C-alpha cells in the first residue's frame, strides 16, 4: 500500500500547503513500491497529461495525496499490464467517470500451465520510443547504441515490445558495474539460439491446419520459454557458485 507522509504539527509551511507534497517527497513515497522511479519520469508523466500537480507562484510542483495515488496507478499499469500512456489515460479518465474498467490481462505461466487471458488488443503490449526512454529512464544516445548492437530492436511500426523496457532497464543496471553493451552481444546471441531451439520444437504445431493446435503452439512456446529462462538462470548461478534469493 502506498504510504504518503503526513503534514505533522509544528510545520507552518506544511499546514499552509494543506498536505501538498514536493516532487522529492513524492519520489520518496513511491520508492518502496517503485524503486526505479525517478524525478524525470514523474515530470515526463506530467508532460503527457497523466497527472496535473498544482504550481506555486514560483513554479514549484505541489502534489496532493490524490495526485500521488493517480501516479501510483499509472506506474502499476505500466509495470503490470505494459499499457501505453494513451491507453492508461483513457482507463483513468473512465474510472474517474465511475465507469467499470477491465484492464487487459497478461497470459502467465504457472507450473507449466497457461493462466490468464491474452489481451484482445495486441497493441496494448506496445510502447512508443519516448515512452521507452521515460520508462527505462535512459537517454536517446543510450538507446541508439543498444540498437546498434542488436540488444533492442524496434518493430515494423516503429514501436517496441513492452519487454524492451525490462531489457533496457537491465542493460542500464549492468552498465553501472562497467558491463558495456558490446559485452552483452554474447548474451544476445545465446538468447537467439535458445529462441531458435524453441521455435524448432513448436514449428510443426504452428503450421498445423487445426486452429486449436495452433493455439496449443502458443501455449507450448510460453511454457518452453519459461523453462529455458529457468535453466539459463540455474546454469549461470551454478557457474558462479552463487544462489539468488
Amino acid at each position: 500500500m502506498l504510504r504518503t507522509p503526513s503534514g505533522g504539527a509544528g510545520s507552518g509551511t506544511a499546514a499552509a500547503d494543506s498536505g501538498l507534497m514536493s516532487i522529492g517527497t513524492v519520489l520518496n513515497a513511491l520508492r518502496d513500491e517503485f524503486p526505479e522511479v525517478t524525478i524525470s519520469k514523474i515530470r515526463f508523466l506530467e508532460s503527457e497529461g497523466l497527472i496535473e500537480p498544482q504550481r506555486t507562484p514560483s513554479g514549484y510542483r505541489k502534489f496532493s495525496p490524490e495526485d500521488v495515488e493517480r501516479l501510483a496507478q499509472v506506474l502499476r499499469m505500466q509495470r503490470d499490464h505494459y499499457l501505453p500512456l494513451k491507453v492508461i489515460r483513457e482507463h483513468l479518465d473512465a474510472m474517474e467517470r465511475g465507469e467499470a474498467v477491465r484492464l487487459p490481462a497478461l497470459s502467465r505461466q504457472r507450473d507449466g500451465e497457461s493462466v490468464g487471458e491474452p489481451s484482445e488488443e495486441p497493441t496494448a503490449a506496445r510502447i512508443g520510443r519516448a515512452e521507452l526512454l521515460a520508462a527505462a529512464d535512459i537517454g536517446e544516445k543510450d538507446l541508439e547504441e543498444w540498437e546498434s548492437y542488436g540488444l533492442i530492436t524496434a518493430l515494423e511500426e516503429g514501436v517496441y515490445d513492452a519487454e524492451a523496457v525490462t531489457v533496457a532497464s537491465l542493460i542500464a543496471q549492468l552498465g553501472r558495474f562497467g558491463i558495456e553493451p558490446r559485452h552483452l552481444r554474447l548474451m544476445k546471441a545465446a538468447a537467439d539460439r535458445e529462441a531458435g531451439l524453441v521455435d524448432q520444437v513448436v514449428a510443426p504445431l504452428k503450421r498445423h491446419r487445426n486452429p486449436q493446435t495452433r493455439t496449443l503452439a502458443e501455449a507450448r512456446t510460453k511454457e518452453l520459454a519459461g523453462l529455458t529462462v529457468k535453466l539459463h538462470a540455474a546454469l549461470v548461478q551454478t557457474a558462479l557458485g552463487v544462489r539468488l534469493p
Side-chain angles (χ1 to χ4, degrees), residues 10 35 46 48 69 90 106 110 118 132 136 152-153 161 176 191 242:
E46 179 191 0
E48 292 294 311
E69 184 54 42
E90 292 172 353
L106 295 180
R110 183 179 64 198
L132 173 58
I152 295 178
T153 304
D161 188 281
R176 299 187 189 114
V242 298

Side-chain angles (χ1 to χ4, degrees), residues 142-200:
D142 293 322
L143 182 54
E144 289 177 356
E145 180 183 14
W146 301 346
E147 287 178 320
S148 72
Y149 284 105
L151 299 173
I152 295 178
T153 304
L155 304 176
E156 291 181 2
E157 302 87 353
V159 296
Y160 296 83
D161 188 281
E163 196 64 27
V165 176
T166 302
V167 173
S169 298
L170 291 172
I171 293 174
Q173 291 179 50
L174 288 170
R176 299 187 189 114
F177 293 90
I179 299 178
E180 300 178 12
R182 59 190 177 88
H183 300 141
L184 302 177
R185 286 182 295 183
L186 290 176
M187 298 179 68
K188 178 64 167 61
D192 288 342
R193 287 194 296 269
E194 292 167 6
L197 177 60
V198 171
D199 280 337
Q200 184 178 347

Side-chain angles (χ1 to χ4, degrees), residues 22-24 26-27 30 37-53 55 59-61 63 71 75 85 134 137:
S22 68
I23 193 169
V26 171
L27 184 66
L30 294 169
V37 71
T38 62
I39 286 179
S40 61
K41 174 68 177 289
I42 296 174
R43 288 172 176 163
F44 173 76
L45 294 176
E46 179 191 0
S47 70
E48 292 294 311
L50 273 301
I51 51 173
E52 297 180 358
R55 294 274 187 159
Y60 291 104
R61 295 172 177 85
F63 297 78
L71 182 54
L75 295 172
L85 296 183
D137 195 24

Side-chain angles (χ1 to χ4, degrees), residues 109 112 220-233:
Q109 292 296 313
R220 188 64 54 81
T221 299
K222 293 176 181 178
E223 181 180 359
L224 288 171
L227 292 172
T228 301
V229 169
K230 290 180 180 178
L231 175 59
H232 184 91

Side-chain angles (χ1 to χ4, degrees), residues 11 14 28 55 64-65 89 130 133 164 193 231 244:
S11 173
N28 290 332
R55 294 274 187 159
S64 69
R89 188 185 301 109
L133 294 173
R193 287 194 296 269
L231 175 59
L244 301 179

Side-chain angles (χ1 to χ4, degrees), residues 5-165:
S6 59
S11 173
T13 303
D17 287 343
S18 301
L20 299 181
M21 291 169 272
S22 68
I23 193 169
T25 303
V26 171
L27 184 66
N28 290 332
L30 294 169
R31 275 267 168 85
D32 284 347
E33 184 177 354
F34 309 100
E36 298 300 323
V37 71
T38 62
I39 286 179
S40 61
K41 174 68 177 289
I42 296 174
R43 288 172 176 163
F44 173 76
L45 294 176
E46 179 191 0
S47 70
E48 292 294 311
L50 273 301
I51 51 173
E52 297 180 358
Q54 299 179 35
R55 294 274 187 159
T56 66
S58 51
Y60 291 104
R61 295 172 177 85
K62 289 294 181 179
F63 297 78
S64 69
E66 291 76 18
D67 291 328
V68 180
E69 184 54 42
R70 182 181 172 93
L71 182 54
Q73 287 180 316
V74 172
L75 295 172
R76 289 188 193 106
M77 289 183 190
Q78 283 191 310
R79 180 192 64 194
D80 300 337
H81 298 274
Y82 301 107
L83 296 178
L85 296 183
K86 179 181 178 182
V87 176
I88 291 176
R89 188 185 301 109
E90 292 172 353
H91 278 300
L92 291 176
D93 291 344
M95 290 168 62
E96 289 183 352
R97 292 192 299 267
E99 300 174 9
V101 175
R102 183 174 179 270
L103 292 172
L106 295 180
S107 185
R108 306 185 304 278
Q109 292 296 313
R110 183 179 64 198
D111 298 330
E113 184 177 338
S114 180
V115 298
E117 300 177 53
S119 169
E120 296 178 357
E121 305 175 55
T123 56
R126 301 288 184 262
I127 61 173
R129 192 176 186 88
E131 292 173 323
L132 173 58
L133 294 173
D137 195 24
I138 59 174
E140 179 68 38
K141 290 185 178 179
D142 293 322
L143 182 54
E144 289 177 356
E145 180 183 14
W146 301 346
E147 287 178 320
S148 72
Y149 284 105
L151 299 173
I152 295 178
T153 304
L155 304 176
E156 291 181 2
E157 302 87 353
V159 296
Y160 296 83
D161 188 281
E163 196 64 27
V165 176

